[in-house]
Amino acid sequence: MTGLQIAFLAIAAVTLASAVLVVSSRKIMHAALWLVLALGGIAALFATLEASFFAAVQVMVYIGAIAILIIFSVMLTRRVMEDTGPQNTRYWPAALVVSLGVFGGILFLFLQWPGFSVESRPGLEQGDLLVRFGQALVSPDEFVVPFEVASILLVAAMIGAMIIARDPSRK
Amino acid sequence: MTPWYQDPVQFIAEWLRGVLLGWGMPPSGVELVLTVLGAGTIALLAMLWVVFLIWYERKLIGRIQDRFGPNRVGPWGIFQPIADMLKIFTKEYITPEGVDRVPYNLAPILAVASVLLIWAVIPFTMTVMGVNLNVGIVYIIASGGLGVLGIILAGWSSNNKYALLGGFRAVAQLVSYEVPMVVSLLIPVILAGSLGVNDIVMAQRIPYLLSAPVAALIFFITSMAETGRSPFDLTEAESEIVAGFNIEYSGLKFGMFYVAEFLHAFTVSLLFATLFLGGWRGPLAEQVPLLGFVYLVVKTFVVYFVVILFRGSLPRFRIDQMMDLNWKLLTPLALVSLVVSALVAKPLEEMPLAQTLALLVSNGIVLILFIEGTGKKVQRKREIVGKPRPLAVPHPEEQQPAQSTGG
């Protein structure tokens, strides 16, 4: 077992444990903080895969923006400190079946992929990969259409949020 | 190989590598030891540097306010922060009732760590830098996000309404000012064609202060807001919310926030010098790497001086003014100048001098149009709700003698 594998297992264990704690903590604020740790674990996984761009973007977008917004809205929620009532619904066996099915499906699809069992090649040219990624996003033969559609979707969502948040009595 | 006095850090690293290899250590182990040593050295030096920064800032603020500043301990009071530091080590940690222990203790660490993380990617000379990360700029922004997390944790876990209010204000301010800061950082990235900090320094044959003055201005203002210092210190406005998010901290835990604030102010000056003033670049810096360090320190202190001048001379913003400045002026200005810079820079890529001139002129036009067109409009006047009602008026009979002497 190499050092990288040990690091992977440790990070994966931390990520999974904090993901479980997100749904099982009694205090909703703690759940939000465990979510931060889980997202940070994913960033660390990206870093061990030498995908430093994705690691940095993961921290910037998910921890720096989304988790902060979640914490913010949790802090503005009333009665965040109260922890009464059961945490499970009646339907948890059905949810278990669905999530196991999804996990199995994803695993099945990955097993079909020939690159699944190939060991990763360390020392890829990072700078070139980043340039390649940027060009692929705007090249007409590759991902320009999904990229632009995603951008328009985000702009529409942003405008929608502004319109909803607007005070209707003000002209 | 350059002589030792021209590039001492590399010299020591090479010497240590030779020694460790001579002891029969595997090469990967040697690299690990060197990396850990380097990271420890940078972090330690940065923290110790704060001792000097605190003295420098207090002295300068004293001069601005027509005082002497610290002047008792040592020559010019230079050992005053050391005495303060030793005192704060001995202070008691008071943990109030009802705090959330883990976030409460984690917050000061996060606050310092988020600033120290930035030091990992700053090139101090041509050869000395923590890591030459190819996504340096994204990394810097990401570590800023961790700082916001530290403040929010401090504000929430303290179980104190003033701390929570301070935390709310901090998050509103920091998250908002991150928007124009990120956009303004994209302009040097576009001009250099790289996200790596050292590549941006390498690309600055002419400092980007000339090619992107609007971006430099926006970055300067927004990074002042990110440090949470006057005039953007609403997060710890003493007159309104006592001390803000760090009110319940004592001893060294408060000291961590204090250190983080001073170090952050210096770090943004360092970043400004690196991204817009050419970093370590200067005459002979490529032959003698140590000279590059001198240039970087001089440039940084020029910026840091202006930061302190701002702190010493500007009053605090009201929260609506702070938001107006960000969303109605800085964000649109950053977006427009990003588009204009990209359009102007691309066709003139082959001619650096013409490109710089064109960028300078177009940036000036954008700035003037913005200030003329929108600057006046976005200034919000407070509504007058009624006539002023003084609490006490002089009695009419007592006013008589004053009037007679006045006449």
Side-chain angles (χ1 to χ4, degrees), chain A residues 27 29-30 33 36 52-57 59-60 63-65 67-69 71-72 75-76 80-81 126-128 130-131, chain B residues 98 100 103 133-135 137-139 141-143 145-146 148-149 152-153 155-156 164 167-169 171-172 175 178 182 195:
Chain A
K27 284 185 183 169
M29 186 70 187
H30 286 176
L33 294 178
V36 169
S52 51
F53 178 71
F54 291 106
V57 167
V59 173
M60 184 172 87
I63 297 180
I68 297 279
L69 277 184
I71 292 176
F72 210 62
M75 291 204 296
L76 289 169
V80 284
M81 306 296 276
Q126 270 293 317
D128 292 348
L130 193 59
V131 171
Chain B
D100 206 336
L133 209 58
N134 62 345
V135 291
I137 297 289
V138 185
Y139 172 87
I141 298 163
S143 53
L146 286 182
V148 181
L149 194 65
I152 220 175
L153 286 187
W156 179 77
L164 191 58
F168 278 151
R169 285 187 176 194
V171 174
V175 172
E178 226 163 64
V182 171
L195 281 165

Side-chain angles (χ1 to χ4, degrees), chain A residues 131-145 147-148:
Chain A
V131 171
R132 177 83 188 77
F133 175 65
Q135 281 166 349
L137 279 184
V138 290
S139 136
D141 310 331
E142 289 174 272
F143 303 109
V144 71
V145 175
F147 180 65
E148 290 298 326

Side-chain angles (χ1 to χ4, degrees), chain A residues 11 39-56 58:
Chain A
I11 295 166
L39 295 170
I42 302 217
L45 280 187
F46 278 131
T48 57
L49 292 172
E50 299 192 12
S52 51
F53 178 71
F54 291 106
Q58 170 86 15

